[in-house]
Amino acid sequence: MDTVQLHIGAEPTVPSFPVRSAIPQLAATNLGYLVSNSPIRLSSPLPDMPDMNMSPVKRLATPAAEEPRVKTIYELKLEEMLDIERARVLKAKGEAMQLQAIAVLQRVYCGRLHSQLETKENKKIKKDNGGKLNGNLPFLLTSDEFLDHVKRKEEATEATRTAKEQRKDRRLDYAKEMAEWEEAEIARKARNEDRDTKLKAAKEVWQCDKKEVKTKGGKIKDWKQTHPEPRQSDPEFKQEPTIPKPRLRVKEAKDVGEESGEEFDLDASSEEDE
């Protein structure tokens, strides 16, 4: 496994002995990808950064007032040593709290990067047409793993070709459906306009008949019961609803391929022609 080279700016530096001895040990664990030149994959586990329990920082209690007394030289030296030790402990605790706060922030940052990496790899899997294979595959062309990847590539290529043919056929059918729909809409609007004209004429005739009955002294209320006023909701005048417009619905073929790690082109000419 290629180990990572530590750089400061553009000038390479030689890692210290503890780092040089720790890198091979780290490479043998499940976190070996941290010191490898290979790209980090979604399946790579996140480093575990456990929290450390710490007691809260307490304020020193103000000592109760005592009668002044003369302290010996040994008591004064002991208090001085206690103050020095207390300051050292508080400094170490503050540094530990700083390190833990950095670890928490780095864990949140790694979680965000992990989520973005997952989104990116999921997009690659959806777009994979089987033309790219894992660069870590063995060179033995009769290997079961290699043959399995080639089979997946062929299945994905066939699925892509079938999906393209289905989209092409659907577009042709959609054009015919749209032409038929436009003709049907024109005829529907013409029928609705004809019904509006008939409704308007029927209302004019009804108003004339109403005036005639009123002139002759008839009862309009009784006449309306046998001669209702024409309305838009009457079956002969009701408007036809809009015909639903065809929609272009294409069911994409399910991706068979699934990529991971470093890749190489098995067949550069098998790229999808969109």
Side-chain angles (χ1 to χ4, degrees):
M1 178 181 293
D2 295 332
T3 57
V4 40
Q5 297 180 354
L6 303 180
H7 296 273
I8 299 178
E11 299 181 359
T13 59
V14 179
S16 61
F17 176 75
V19 175
R20 293 200 306 270
S21 61
I23 286 178
Q25 299 177 11
L26 182 62
T29 66
N30 59 347
L31 299 178
Y33 64 90
L34 295 176
V35 292
S36 171
N37 291 330
S38 302
I40 297 178
R41 304 183 181 91
L42 181 61
S43 57
S44 303
L46 289 174
D48 185 19
M49 294 180 285
D51 297 332
M52 180 173 57
N53 295 329
M54 295 185 191
S55 60
V57 178
K58 300 178 181 178
R59 294 182 179 181
L60 295 178
T62 304
E66 298 179 354
E67 295 181 0
R69 68 181 183 85
V70 179
K71 297 182 180 180
T72 64
I73 188 66
Y74 297 104
E75 289 178 334
L76 294 175
K77 288 184 178 181
L78 181 60
E79 288 183 355
E80 183 180 0
M81 293 174 62
L82 287 175
D83 292 339
I84 294 174
E85 184 65 19
R86 186 182 295 109
R88 188 188 65 81
V89 171
L90 290 177
K91 181 181 178 182
K93 187 173 183 179
E95 292 175 351
M97 293 178 67
Q98 273 188 331
L99 291 176
Q100 180 153 308
I102 293 174
V104 171
L105 293 177
Q106 288 180 344
R107 185 164 58 227
V108 175
Y109 179 74
C110 291
R112 292 286 302 276
L113 291 182
H114 189 270
S115 176
Q116 294 177 7
L117 179 62
E118 181 180 8
T119 302
K120 184 177 180 181
E121 290 195 3
N122 288 338
K123 288 182 179 179
K124 286 184 179 180
I125 292 175
K126 291 181 180 179
K127 294 181 180 179
D128 182 20
N129 62 351
K132 296 181 179 180
L133 300 179
N134 189 347
N136 295 325
L137 288 177
F139 291 98
L140 184 60
L141 300 183
T142 57
S143 168
D144 293 339
E145 185 179 0
F146 183 84
L147 293 178
D148 179 65
H149 278 266
V150 173
K151 181 180 178 181
R152 286 178 50 248
K153 176 199 177 302
E154 293 176 350
E155 292 176 350
T157 303
E158 179 64 22
T160 302
R161 185 186 62 81
T162 303
K164 289 177 64 176
E165 292 179 355
Q166 290 177 352
R167 289 194 297 268
K168 183 178 180 181
D169 295 341
R170 177 55 191 154
R171 283 194 292 267
L172 295 176
D173 295 339
Y174 177 71
K176 295 179 182 178
E177 293 175 1
M178 282 297 299
E180 295 175 355
W181 176 80
E182 290 175 356
E183 293 179 0
E185 272 294 288
I186 293 174
R188 182 189 68 83
K189 291 178 180 179
R191 291 192 296 270
N192 285 342
E193 291 178 359
D194 182 61
R195 293 186 178 188
D196 287 339
T197 303
K198 291 181 178 179
L199 176 61
K200 186 177 180 180
K203 285 187 175 182
E204 292 178 354
V205 172
W206 185 84
Q207 289 291 346
C208 293
D209 294 343
K210 179 182 175 182
K211 290 180 180 180
E212 184 178 354
V213 172
K214 189 175 181 180
T215 304
K216 294 180 179 180
K219 292 184 179 181
I220 300 298
K221 186 176 181 180
D222 296 339
W223 179 80
K224 283 185 177 181
Q225 291 180 356
T226 56
H227 298 78
E229 181 180 3
R231 298 180 180 278
Q232 187 79 54
S233 58
D234 294 342
E236 61 270 25
F237 306 123
K238 188 175 182 179
Q239 297 285 306
E240 296 182 14
T242 304
I243 302 175
K245 187 177 181 179
R247 294 182 177 274
L248 182 60
R249 298 179 180 177
V250 180
K251 292 184 177 180
E252 299 290 348
K254 184 178 181 181
D255 290 336
V256 180
E258 180 176 338
E259 62 180 357
S260 61
E262 297 180 350
E263 305 164 351
F264 67 93
D265 287 338
L266 181 68
D267 184 3
S269 62
S270 65
E271 296 179 356
E272 182 179 359
D273 182 15
E274 287 294 345

